[in-house]
Amino acid sequence: MNNKDFFTLANGVIIPAIGFGTWQIPSGDIAYNSVKVALKAGYRHIDSAQAYGNEASVGKAILDSGIDRREIFVTSKLPAEIKSYEKAVSHAALTMKNIGLDYIDLYLIHAPWPWTEIGADYTKENIEVWKAMEEFYESGKTRSIGISNFNVKDIDAILENSRISPMVNQIKLHIGHPQEEITGHCRKNGILVEGYSPLATGKLLNSKEIAGIAKKYGKSVAQLSIRYVLEKGALPLPKSTHPEYISHNLDVKFSITGDDVSYLDSLK
Ligand SMILES: NC(=O)c1ccc[n+]([C@@H]2O[C@H](COP(=O)([O-])OP(=O)(O)OC[C@H]3O[C@@H](n4cnc5c(N)ncnc54)[C@H](OP(=O)(O)O)[C@@H]3O)[C@@H](O)[C@H]2O)c1
């Protein structure tokens, strides 16, 4: 892809091409300061979730930043364990209360199954929950809606039973884990893929193979790994609590050759 700064969702909403991840950033001063630092460094897209327990700190950092609210894209997520219409409605309201903003920009179903039952079939429940997501979108409390960790079958169940299609699918996508089947299916259906854990939660950082490729481009392993997600046509969500890493991870305007992308796809 080109070095563009934004993607456009199926409903025309503009989404900044790199998001700041906040999983495992403790609520309170650490989350507040990390988001403030990220906004100061130039991020205009913050990825949060009710399950991260830090929505209030994220919202406060955004409000205190002095940046026009309309310039910042904010995501939160319905907890994976919430699998009924009524609970989805009340948890969406809870997110709004926690985050303290008039609206959010993207609301996702965090996963198609509760975390204690990964892979279990919750198709019927997800269809019911999606109705609450559609209504939340129509209420204007969120500018877009989507899913996370959904595979092809899970995506199709929603597409076949919805009035409004998901605009985003947030999935684990990093070097060595290119997720071709899901990304291809999303592309075909106008769903933007967001790539979470672009550094494999830090596991890629010591890879000698990736370091060898990064060196060719005069970039770090972290930068090459984030750029790789963009080369796959997806939107990366790097996380850090260190100000130097937070800025460094935004400096990814370069291109990786097709041959190098294929090599990086194949790394285990
Ligand atoms: N939807 C889902 O189910 C789901 C699941 C997982 C993640 N996510 C989203 O994706 C985001 C990112 O994924 P992730 O949290 O797994 O981690 P990640 O971005 O893949 O990696 C973060 C780790 O890498 C370190 N790091 C970051 N930049 C670095 C740099 N330039 N140099 C050296 N080390 C660096 C961080 O250290 P420090 O923090 O110590 O600086 C942290 O340990 C999450 O925060 C969340 O928003 C979503």
Side-chain angles (χ1 to χ4, degrees):
M1 70 158 253
N2 297 321
N3 281 304
K4 62 183 182 189
D5 293 327
F6 301 95
F7 290 94
T8 305
L9 301 181
N11 64 346
V13 165
I14 301 287
I15 177 169
I18 299 177
F20 179 68
T22 66
W23 177 43
Q24 293 181 314
I25 304 189
S27 72
D29 287 350
I30 302 183
Y32 178 82
N33 290 329
S34 300
V35 173
K36 282 284 273 297
V37 167
L39 291 170
K40 199 150 180 246
Y43 290 79
R44 289 294 179 268
H45 174 174
I46 312 291
D47 183 74
S48 182
Q50 203 173 101
Y52 302 168
N54 57 20
E55 286 172 316
S57 311
V58 167
K60 186 163 165 32
I62 289 168
L63 287 173
D64 291 353
S65 69
I67 299 166
D68 188 334
R69 169 68 188 89
R70 289 167 298 184
E71 281 185 32
I72 306 175
F73 191 99
V74 191
T75 300
S76 194
K77 310 185 192 90
L78 178 74
E81 293 71 28
I82 301 306
K83 292 297 174 205
S84 74
Y85 171 86
E86 287 77 17
K87 284 195 180 163
V89 169
S90 62
H91 279 263
L94 180 60
T95 275
M96 296 316 296
K97 185 164 172 264
N98 289 342
I99 210 158
L101 302 171
D102 293 338
Y103 66 90
I104 57 174
D105 297 277
L106 174 63
Y107 196 52
L108 304 174
I109 300 180
H110 207 140
W113 16 250
W115 293 111
T116 50
E117 293 176 69
I118 292 176
D121 187 1
Y122 276 82
T123 303
K124 188 171 136 283
E125 290 81 358
N126 286 324
I127 292 168
E128 197 188 310
V129 166
W130 188 254
K131 290 199 185 357
M133 300 290 286
E134 290 175 326
E135 288 171 20
F136 189 52
Y137 173 62
E138 286 169 330
S139 77
K141 290 288 177 200
T142 184
R143 295 173 67 228
S144 55
I145 46 176
I147 51 191
S148 177
N149 296 296
F150 275 49
N151 66 25
V152 169
K153 181 174 149 283
D154 300 320
I155 297 166
D156 283 345
I158 298 294
L159 289 175
E160 287 158 17
N161 292 282
S162 56
R163 289 184 295 112
I164 303 165
S165 297
M167 292 137 203
V168 166
N169 188 17
Q170 184 180 119
I171 57 172
K172 185 171 177 177
L173 198 166
H174 54 69
I175 290 174
H177 193 57
Q179 298 267 35
E180 301 290 7
E181 193 194 359
I182 300 179
T183 53
H185 196 64
C186 286
R187 199 173 304 121
K188 214 170 67 194
N189 287 287
I191 301 170
L192 174 70
V193 171
E194 293 185 348
Y196 74 65
S197 302
L199 313 178
T201 320
K203 290 198 263 310
L204 298 183
L205 293 163
N206 295 320
S207 159
K208 288 199 179 59
E209 290 93 340
I210 302 174
I213 302 287
K215 200 167 167 219
K216 271 173 54 178
Y217 295 92
K219 293 288 175 183
S220 69
V221 168
Q223 289 168 324
L224 188 88
S225 302
I226 293 163
R227 181 72 222 171
Y228 167 86
V229 176
L230 290 163
E231 298 291 352
K232 302 302 289 181
L235 185 157
L237 298 169
K239 169 263 179 186
S240 175
T241 50
H242 292 87
E244 64 277 23
Y245 295 163
I246 291 173
S247 309
H248 180 84
N249 293 348
L250 263 190
D251 180 14
V252 294
K253 287 206 170 172
F254 64 103
S255 290
I256 309 175
T257 65
D259 284 352
D260 284 341
V261 170
S262 300
Y263 170 71
L264 296 168
D265 284 345
S266 73
L267 287 181
K268 286 288 164 256

Short mmCIF file of all heavy atoms in Angstrom, two decimals, residues 19-25 46-49 52 77 108-111 115 148-149 170-172 174 195-203 205 220 222-223 226 237-246 248-249, ligand 1:
data_model
loop_
_atom_site.label_atom_id
_atom_site.label_comp_id
_atom_site.label_asym_id
_atom_site.label_seq_id
_atom_site.Cartn_x
_atom_site.Cartn_y
_atom_site.Cartn_z
N GLY A 19 -3.14 2.79 14.92
CA GLY A 19 -3.84 3.04 16.19
C GLY A 19 -2.92 2.72 17.36
O GLY A 19 -2.04 1.85 17.25
N PHE A 20 -3.13 3.40 18.47
CA PHE A 20 -2.34 3.15 19.67
C PHE A 20 -3.07 2.12 20.54
O PHE A 20 -4.19 2.36 20.99
CB PHE A 20 -2.15 4.47 20.44
CG PHE A 20 -1.36 4.31 21.71
CD1 PHE A 20 -0.01 3.98 21.66
CD2 PHE A 20 -1.96 4.47 22.95
CE1 PHE A 20 0.73 3.81 22.83
CE2 PHE A 20 -1.23 4.31 24.12
CZ PHE A 20 0.12 3.98 24.06
N GLY A 21 -2.43 0.96 20.77
CA GLY A 21 -3.05 -0.11 21.55
C GLY A 21 -2.92 0.14 23.04
O GLY A 21 -1.90 0.67 23.50
N THR A 22 -3.94 -0.26 23.81
CA THR A 22 -3.90 0.01 25.26
C THR A 22 -4.14 -1.23 26.12
O THR A 22 -4.33 -1.11 27.32
CB THR A 22 -4.92 1.10 25.67
OG1 THR A 22 -6.25 0.59 25.45
CG2 THR A 22 -4.72 2.39 24.90
N TRP A 23 -4.10 -2.42 25.50
CA TRP A 23 -4.25 -3.65 26.30
C TRP A 23 -3.08 -3.76 27.27
O TRP A 23 -1.93 -3.49 26.88
CB TRP A 23 -4.28 -4.86 25.37
CG TRP A 23 -4.36 -6.19 26.05
CD1 TRP A 23 -5.16 -6.53 27.11
CD2 TRP A 23 -3.63 -7.38 25.70
NE1 TRP A 23 -4.97 -7.84 27.44
CE2 TRP A 23 -4.05 -8.40 26.60
CE3 TRP A 23 -2.68 -7.70 24.73
CZ2 TRP A 23 -3.53 -9.70 26.55
CZ3 TRP A 23 -2.18 -8.99 24.68
CH2 TRP A 23 -2.59 -9.98 25.58
N GLN A 24 -3.37 -4.15 28.49
CA GLN A 24 -2.36 -4.35 29.54
C GLN A 24 -1.70 -3.04 29.97
O GLN A 24 -0.63 -3.06 30.57
CB GLN A 24 -1.29 -5.35 29.07
CG GLN A 24 -1.87 -6.76 28.91
CD GLN A 24 -0.84 -7.79 28.49
OE1 GLN A 24 -0.05 -7.56 27.58
NE2 GLN A 24 -0.84 -8.92 29.14
N ILE A 25 -2.33 -1.91 29.65
CA ILE A 25 -1.85 -0.66 30.24
C ILE A 25 -2.78 -0.37 31.42
O ILE A 25 -3.98 -0.15 31.24
CB ILE A 25 -1.86 0.51 29.22
CG1 ILE A 25 -1.04 0.15 27.97
CG2 ILE A 25 -1.30 1.77 29.88
CD1 ILE A 25 -0.79 1.29 27.00
N ILE A 46 -6.99 5.68 19.08
CA ILE A 46 -6.70 4.97 20.33
C ILE A 46 -7.62 3.74 20.41
O ILE A 46 -8.84 3.86 20.26
CB ILE A 46 -6.97 5.87 21.58
CG1 ILE A 46 -6.32 7.27 21.42
CG2 ILE A 46 -6.51 5.17 22.86
CD1 ILE A 46 -4.82 7.32 21.44
N ASP A 47 -7.01 2.59 20.68
CA ASP A 47 -7.77 1.34 20.75
C ASP A 47 -7.90 0.90 22.22
O ASP A 47 -6.91 0.55 22.85
CB ASP A 47 -7.05 0.24 19.96
CG ASP A 47 -7.84 -1.05 19.95
OD1 ASP A 47 -8.86 -1.10 19.23
OD2 ASP A 47 -7.47 -2.00 20.66
N SER A 48 -9.14 0.91 22.71
CA SER A 48 -9.38 0.51 24.09
C SER A 48 -10.42 -0.62 24.10
O SER A 48 -10.82 -1.12 23.04
CB SER A 48 -9.86 1.72 24.89
OG SER A 48 -10.06 1.38 26.24
N ALA A 49 -10.85 -1.02 25.28
CA ALA A 49 -11.88 -2.06 25.42
C ALA A 49 -12.36 -2.04 26.86
O ALA A 49 -11.57 -1.72 27.76
CB ALA A 49 -11.30 -3.44 25.09
N TYR A 52 -10.23 -4.06 29.13
CA TYR A 52 -8.90 -3.57 29.52
C TYR A 52 -8.96 -2.78 30.84
O TYR A 52 -7.93 -2.50 31.44
CB TYR A 52 -8.27 -2.67 28.44
CG TYR A 52 -8.10 -3.32 27.07
CD1 TYR A 52 -7.79 -2.54 25.96
CD2 TYR A 52 -8.23 -4.69 26.89
CE1 TYR A 52 -7.63 -3.12 24.69
CE2 TYR A 52 -8.09 -5.27 25.62
CZ TYR A 52 -7.79 -4.48 24.54
OH TYR A 52 -7.63 -5.04 23.29
N LYS A 77 -14.67 -1.86 23.03
CA LYS A 77 -15.17 -3.20 22.65
C LYS A 77 -16.12 -3.76 23.70
O LYS A 77 -15.90 -3.57 24.91
CB LYS A 77 -13.99 -4.17 22.49
CG LYS A 77 -12.88 -3.65 21.59
CD LYS A 77 -11.78 -4.66 21.33
CE LYS A 77 -10.58 -3.99 20.67
NZ LYS A 77 -9.60 -3.47 21.61
N LEU A 108 -16.64 -2.58 18.86
CA LEU A 108 -16.44 -3.93 18.34
C LEU A 108 -16.96 -4.99 19.30
O LEU A 108 -16.87 -4.80 20.53
CB LEU A 108 -14.93 -4.19 18.15
CG LEU A 108 -14.13 -3.22 17.28
CD1 LEU A 108 -12.64 -3.57 17.34
CD2 LEU A 108 -14.62 -3.27 15.84
N ILE A 109 -17.46 -6.09 18.76
CA ILE A 109 -17.67 -7.29 19.60
C ILE A 109 -16.27 -7.88 19.80
O ILE A 109 -15.59 -8.23 18.83
CB ILE A 109 -18.57 -8.34 18.90
CG1 ILE A 109 -19.95 -7.76 18.58
CG2 ILE A 109 -18.68 -9.58 19.78
CD1 ILE A 109 -20.90 -8.77 17.88
N HIS A 110 -15.83 -7.98 21.05
CA HIS A 110 -14.42 -8.30 21.32
C HIS A 110 -14.01 -9.68 20.78
O HIS A 110 -12.87 -9.85 20.31
CB HIS A 110 -14.13 -8.21 22.82
CG HIS A 110 -12.72 -7.87 23.15
ND1 HIS A 110 -12.35 -7.02 24.15
CD2 HIS A 110 -11.55 -8.29 22.60
CE1 HIS A 110 -11.03 -6.92 24.20
NE2 HIS A 110 -10.52 -7.69 23.27
N ALA A 111 -14.92 -10.63 20.83
CA ALA A 111 -14.61 -11.97 20.30
C ALA A 111 -15.90 -12.73 20.08
O ALA A 111 -16.90 -12.45 20.73
CB ALA A 111 -13.69 -12.72 21.26
N TRP A 115 -13.68 -15.78 26.43
CA TRP A 115 -12.25 -16.16 26.45
C TRP A 115 -12.03 -17.53 27.09
O TRP A 115 -11.03 -18.19 26.81
CB TRP A 115 -11.42 -15.11 27.17
CG TRP A 115 -11.39 -13.82 26.42
CD1 TRP A 115 -11.96 -12.64 26.78
CD2 TRP A 115 -10.76 -13.57 25.15
NE1 TRP A 115 -11.75 -11.68 25.82
CE2 TRP A 115 -11.01 -12.22 24.81
CE3 TRP A 115 -10.02 -14.34 24.26
CZ2 TRP A 115 -10.53 -11.64 23.63
CZ3 TRP A 115 -9.55 -13.76 23.08
CH2 TRP A 115 -9.81 -12.43 22.78
N SER A 148 -14.30 -8.55 16.22
CA SER A 148 -12.88 -8.82 16.49
C SER A 148 -12.71 -10.30 16.74
O SER A 148 -13.57 -10.93 17.37
CB SER A 148 -12.43 -8.01 17.71
OG SER A 148 -11.08 -8.29 18.02
N ASN A 149 -11.63 -10.85 16.22
CA ASN A 149 -11.32 -12.28 16.37
C ASN A 149 -12.34 -13.17 15.66
O ASN A 149 -12.47 -14.34 15.99
CB ASN A 149 -11.25 -12.67 17.86
CG ASN A 149 -10.11 -11.97 18.57
OD1 ASN A 149 -8.95 -12.19 18.24
ND2 ASN A 149 -10.42 -11.11 19.52
N GLN A 170 -11.08 -6.79 13.77
CA GLN A 170 -9.76 -6.63 14.41
C GLN A 170 -9.25 -8.02 14.77
O GLN A 170 -9.87 -8.72 15.57
CB GLN A 170 -9.90 -5.75 15.66
CG GLN A 170 -8.56 -5.47 16.31
CD GLN A 170 -8.65 -4.60 17.56
OE1 GLN A 170 -8.26 -5.02 18.65
NE2 GLN A 170 -9.15 -3.38 17.41
N ILE A 171 -8.14 -8.41 14.14
CA ILE A 171 -7.61 -9.77 14.35
C ILE A 171 -6.10 -9.72 14.61
O ILE A 171 -5.44 -8.73 14.33
CB ILE A 171 -7.88 -10.67 13.11
CG1 ILE A 171 -7.28 -10.05 11.83
CG2 ILE A 171 -9.36 -10.94 12.94
CD1 ILE A 171 -7.34 -10.96 10.61
N LYS A 172 -5.60 -10.82 15.14
CA LYS A 172 -4.15 -10.92 15.39
C LYS A 172 -3.45 -11.07 14.04
O LYS A 172 -3.71 -12.00 13.28
CB LYS A 172 -3.90 -12.16 16.25
CG LYS A 172 -2.50 -12.34 16.68
CD LYS A 172 -2.48 -13.46 17.70
CE LYS A 172 -1.10 -13.77 18.15
NZ LYS A 172 -1.12 -14.81 19.18
N HIS A 174 0.50 -10.47 12.36
CA HIS A 174 1.88 -10.00 12.46
C HIS A 174 2.78 -10.87 11.59
O HIS A 174 2.32 -11.88 11.03
CB HIS A 174 2.36 -10.00 13.93
CG HIS A 174 2.20 -11.30 14.65
ND1 HIS A 174 2.94 -12.42 14.35
CD2 HIS A 174 1.36 -11.67 15.65
CE1 HIS A 174 2.59 -13.41 15.15
NE2 HIS A 174 1.60 -13.00 15.95
N GLY A 195 -4.92 -5.00 12.45
CA GLY A 195 -3.99 -6.03 12.91
C GLY A 195 -3.55 -5.76 14.33
O GLY A 195 -2.82 -4.81 14.58
N TYR A 196 -4.01 -6.61 15.24
CA TYR A 196 -3.54 -6.39 16.63
C TYR A 196 -2.28 -7.21 16.90
O TYR A 196 -1.93 -8.11 16.13
CB TYR A 196 -4.66 -6.64 17.64
CG TYR A 196 -5.12 -8.05 17.97
CD1 TYR A 196 -4.30 -8.98 18.60
CD2 TYR A 196 -6.43 -8.42 17.71
CE1 TYR A 196 -4.75 -10.24 18.95
CE2 TYR A 196 -6.90 -9.69 18.05
CZ TYR A 196 -6.05 -10.60 18.68
OH TYR A 196 -6.50 -11.84 19.02
N SER A 197 -1.60 -6.85 17.99
CA SER A 197 -0.31 -7.47 18.35
C SER A 197 0.67 -7.48 17.17
O SER A 197 1.22 -8.53 16.80
CB SER A 197 -0.53 -8.90 18.88
OG SER A 197 -1.39 -8.89 19.99
N PRO A 198 0.92 -6.32 16.54
CA PRO A 198 1.82 -6.28 15.39
C PRO A 198 3.25 -6.72 15.74
O PRO A 198 4.01 -7.11 14.84
CB PRO A 198 1.78 -4.81 14.95
CG PRO A 198 1.32 -4.05 16.15
CD PRO A 198 0.39 -4.98 16.88
N LEU A 199 3.60 -6.67 17.03
CA LEU A 199 4.94 -7.14 17.45
C LEU A 199 4.81 -8.51 18.13
O LEU A 199 5.73 -8.94 18.84
CB LEU A 199 5.57 -6.12 18.42
CG LEU A 199 5.51 -4.65 17.98
CD1 LEU A 199 6.13 -3.74 19.03
CD2 LEU A 199 6.20 -4.47 16.63
N ALA A 200 3.65 -9.16 17.94
CA ALA A 200 3.36 -10.44 18.62
C ALA A 200 3.56 -10.27 20.13
O ALA A 200 4.15 -11.13 20.80
CB ALA A 200 4.19 -11.58 18.05
N THR A 201 3.02 -9.16 20.64
CA THR A 201 3.15 -8.80 22.07
C THR A 201 4.62 -8.86 22.51
O THR A 201 4.95 -9.30 23.62
CB THR A 201 2.24 -9.69 22.96
OG1 THR A 201 0.98 -9.90 22.29
CG2 THR A 201 1.93 -9.04 24.30
N GLY A 202 5.50 -8.41 21.63
CA GLY A 202 6.93 -8.31 21.97
C GLY A 202 7.75 -9.50 21.50
O GLY A 202 8.98 -9.44 21.45
N LYS A 203 7.10 -10.60 21.12
CA LYS A 203 7.84 -11.83 20.80
C LYS A 203 8.68 -11.72 19.52
O LYS A 203 9.63 -12.47 19.33
CB LYS A 203 6.87 -13.02 20.68
CG LYS A 203 6.28 -13.43 22.02
CD LYS A 203 5.70 -14.83 21.99
CE LYS A 203 4.21 -14.91 21.79
NZ LYS A 203 3.34 -14.12 22.59
N LEU A 205 10.52 -9.17 18.72
CA LEU A 205 11.58 -8.16 18.84
C LEU A 205 13.00 -8.74 18.81
O LEU A 205 13.93 -8.05 18.42
CB LEU A 205 11.35 -7.33 20.11
CG LEU A 205 10.09 -6.45 20.04
CD1 LEU A 205 9.67 -5.96 21.43
CD2 LEU A 205 10.32 -5.27 19.10
N SER A 220 14.11 -0.36 12.58
CA SER A 220 14.19 -1.33 13.67
C SER A 220 13.24 -2.50 13.40
O SER A 220 12.36 -2.41 12.52
CB SER A 220 13.79 -0.66 14.99
OG SER A 220 12.39 -0.36 14.95
N ALA A 222 10.84 -3.37 15.33
CA ALA A 222 9.48 -2.89 15.65
C ALA A 222 8.90 -2.14 14.44
O ALA A 222 7.75 -2.39 14.03
CB ALA A 222 9.52 -1.98 16.88
N GLN A 223 9.70 -1.25 13.86
CA GLN A 223 9.19 -0.47 12.72
C GLN A 223 8.88 -1.37 11.52
O GLN A 223 7.84 -1.21 10.87
CB GLN A 223 10.20 0.61 12.33
CG GLN A 223 10.27 1.73 13.37
CD GLN A 223 11.45 2.65 13.15
OE1 GLN A 223 12.54 2.20 12.74
NE2 GLN A 223 11.27 3.92 13.45
N ILE A 226 5.60 -3.24 12.16
CA ILE A 226 4.40 -2.40 12.05
C ILE A 226 4.14 -2.10 10.57
O ILE A 226 3.00 -2.19 10.09
CB ILE A 226 4.57 -1.12 12.90
CG1 ILE A 226 4.62 -1.50 14.38
CG2 ILE A 226 3.45 -0.11 12.61
CD1 ILE A 226 5.18 -0.44 15.30
N LEU A 237 -1.97 -1.87 15.22
CA LEU A 237 -2.30 -1.31 16.54
C LEU A 237 -1.16 -1.58 17.52
O LEU A 237 -1.29 -2.42 18.42
CB LEU A 237 -3.59 -1.95 17.07
CG LEU A 237 -4.87 -1.75 16.27
CD1 LEU A 237 -5.98 -2.68 16.77
CD2 LEU A 237 -5.32 -0.30 16.36
N PRO A 238 0.00 -0.92 17.38
CA PRO A 238 1.09 -1.17 18.32
C PRO A 238 0.81 -0.58 19.70
O PRO A 238 0.15 0.46 19.81
CB PRO A 238 2.28 -0.45 17.67
CG PRO A 238 1.66 0.63 16.84
CD PRO A 238 0.33 0.10 16.37
N LYS A 239 1.33 -1.24 20.72
CA LYS A 239 1.17 -0.76 22.11
C LYS A 239 2.54 -0.55 22.73
O LYS A 239 3.47 -1.34 22.52
CB LYS A 239 0.39 -1.81 22.91
CG LYS A 239 0.36 -1.58 24.41
CD LYS A 239 1.41 -2.41 25.16
CE LYS A 239 1.41 -2.17 26.65
NZ LYS A 239 2.52 -2.88 27.35
N SER A 240 2.69 0.51 23.50
CA SER A 240 3.89 0.69 24.34
C SER A 240 3.55 1.66 25.46
O SER A 240 2.63 2.47 25.34
CB SER A 240 5.05 1.26 23.51
OG SER A 240 6.14 1.52 24.37
N THR A 241 4.32 1.54 26.54
CA THR A 241 4.17 2.54 27.60
C THR A 241 5.42 3.44 27.67
O THR A 241 5.51 4.30 28.53
CB THR A 241 3.99 1.84 28.97
OG1 THR A 241 5.03 0.87 29.12
CG2 THR A 241 2.64 1.16 29.07
N HIS A 242 6.39 3.19 26.75
CA HIS A 242 7.62 4.00 26.77
C HIS A 242 7.54 5.11 25.73
O HIS A 242 7.39 4.82 24.54
CB HIS A 242 8.83 3.11 26.48
CG HIS A 242 9.13 2.14 27.57
ND1 HIS A 242 8.55 0.90 27.66
CD2 HIS A 242 9.94 2.27 28.65
CE1 HIS A 242 9.00 0.28 28.74
NE2 HIS A 242 9.85 1.09 29.37
N PRO A 243 7.68 6.38 26.16
CA PRO A 243 7.55 7.49 25.22
C PRO A 243 8.42 7.35 23.98
O PRO A 243 7.98 7.63 22.87
CB PRO A 243 7.95 8.71 26.05
CG PRO A 243 7.60 8.34 27.45
CD PRO A 243 7.84 6.85 27.54
N GLU A 244 9.66 6.84 24.15
CA GLU A 244 10.55 6.73 22.98
C GLU A 244 10.02 5.69 21.99
O GLU A 244 10.08 5.88 20.77
CB GLU A 244 12.01 6.48 23.39
CG GLU A 244 12.30 5.17 24.11
CD GLU A 244 12.03 5.18 25.63
OE1 GLU A 244 11.22 6.01 26.11
OE2 GLU A 244 12.60 4.31 26.33
N TYR A 245 9.48 4.58 22.50
CA TYR A 245 8.92 3.56 21.60
C TYR A 245 7.64 4.08 20.94
O TYR A 245 7.37 3.78 19.77
CB TYR A 245 8.56 2.28 22.36
CG TYR A 245 9.69 1.51 22.98
CD1 TYR A 245 9.44 0.55 23.97
CD2 TYR A 245 11.02 1.70 22.58
CE1 TYR A 245 10.46 -0.19 24.54
CE2 TYR A 245 12.04 0.96 23.16
CZ TYR A 245 11.76 0.02 24.15
OH TYR A 245 12.75 -0.71 24.73
N ILE A 246 6.84 4.80 21.72
CA ILE A 246 5.55 5.29 21.20
C ILE A 246 5.78 6.14 19.95
O ILE A 246 5.13 5.94 18.92
CB ILE A 246 4.79 6.07 22.32
CG1 ILE A 246 4.34 5.09 23.43
CG2 ILE A 246 3.59 6.84 21.76
CD1 ILE A 246 3.72 5.73 24.67
N HIS A 248 8.66 6.25 18.10
CA HIS A 248 9.41 5.41 17.15
C HIS A 248 8.45 4.57 16.29
O HIS A 248 8.64 4.42 15.08
CB HIS A 248 10.32 4.52 18.01
CG HIS A 248 11.19 3.57 17.28
ND1 HIS A 248 12.41 3.94 16.75
CD2 HIS A 248 11.03 2.26 16.99
CE1 HIS A 248 12.96 2.88 16.19
NE2 HIS A 248 12.15 1.84 16.31
N ASN A 249 7.38 4.06 16.92
CA ASN A 249 6.46 3.14 16.23
C ASN A 249 5.59 3.85 15.19
O ASN A 249 4.92 3.19 14.39
CB ASN A 249 5.57 2.42 17.24
CG ASN A 249 6.36 1.46 18.12
OD1 ASN A 249 7.51 1.16 17.83
ND2 ASN A 249 5.74 0.99 19.19
N1 LIG B 1 -9.06 -7.51 19.91
C1 LIG B 1 -8.29 -8.28 20.63
O1 LIG B 1 -8.66 -9.38 21.05
C2 LIG B 1 -6.88 -7.82 20.94
C3 LIG B 1 -5.96 -8.74 21.49
C4 LIG B 1 -4.65 -8.28 21.71
C5 LIG B 1 -4.31 -6.98 21.43
N2 LIG B 1 -5.25 -6.08 20.93
C6 LIG B 1 -4.91 -4.67 20.64
O2 LIG B 1 -3.66 -4.59 19.97
C7 LIG B 1 -2.75 -3.80 20.74
C8 LIG B 1 -1.29 -4.22 20.54
O3 LIG B 1 -1.09 -5.58 20.82
P1 LIG B 1 -0.22 -6.08 22.06
O4 LIG B 1 -0.56 -5.25 23.23
O5 LIG B 1 -0.37 -7.55 22.09
O6 LIG B 1 1.28 -5.77 21.72
P2 LIG B 1 2.32 -5.37 20.58
O7 LIG B 1 2.06 -3.99 20.10
O8 LIG B 1 2.39 -6.48 19.59
O9 LIG B 1 3.64 -5.41 21.47
C9 LIG B 1 3.74 -4.65 22.65
C10 LIG B 1 5.04 -5.04 23.37
O10 LIG B 1 6.15 -4.61 22.59
C11 LIG B 1 6.90 -3.64 23.33
N3 LIG B 1 7.29 -2.58 22.38
C12 LIG B 1 6.46 -1.75 21.71
N4 LIG B 1 7.15 -0.95 20.88
C13 LIG B 1 8.46 -1.26 21.05
C14 LIG B 1 9.65 -0.77 20.47
N5 LIG B 1 9.66 0.20 19.57
N6 LIG B 1 10.84 -1.33 20.87
C15 LIG B 1 10.85 -2.32 21.79
N7 LIG B 1 9.75 -2.83 22.38
C16 LIG B 1 8.55 -2.31 22.01
C17 LIG B 1 5.99 -3.13 24.41
O11 LIG B 1 6.75 -2.71 25.51
P3 LIG B 1 6.32 -1.57 26.57
O12 LIG B 1 4.81 -1.60 26.67
O13 LIG B 1 7.02 -2.00 27.80
O14 LIG B 1 6.80 -0.27 26.04
C18 LIG B 1 5.16 -4.37 24.72
O15 LIG B 1 5.86 -5.26 25.55
C19 LIG B 1 -3.28 -4.00 22.16
O16 LIG B 1 -2.74 -3.06 23.06
C20 LIG B 1 -4.77 -3.88 21.93
O17 LIG B 1 -5.15 -2.53 21.77
C21 LIG B 1 -6.52 -6.51 20.68
#
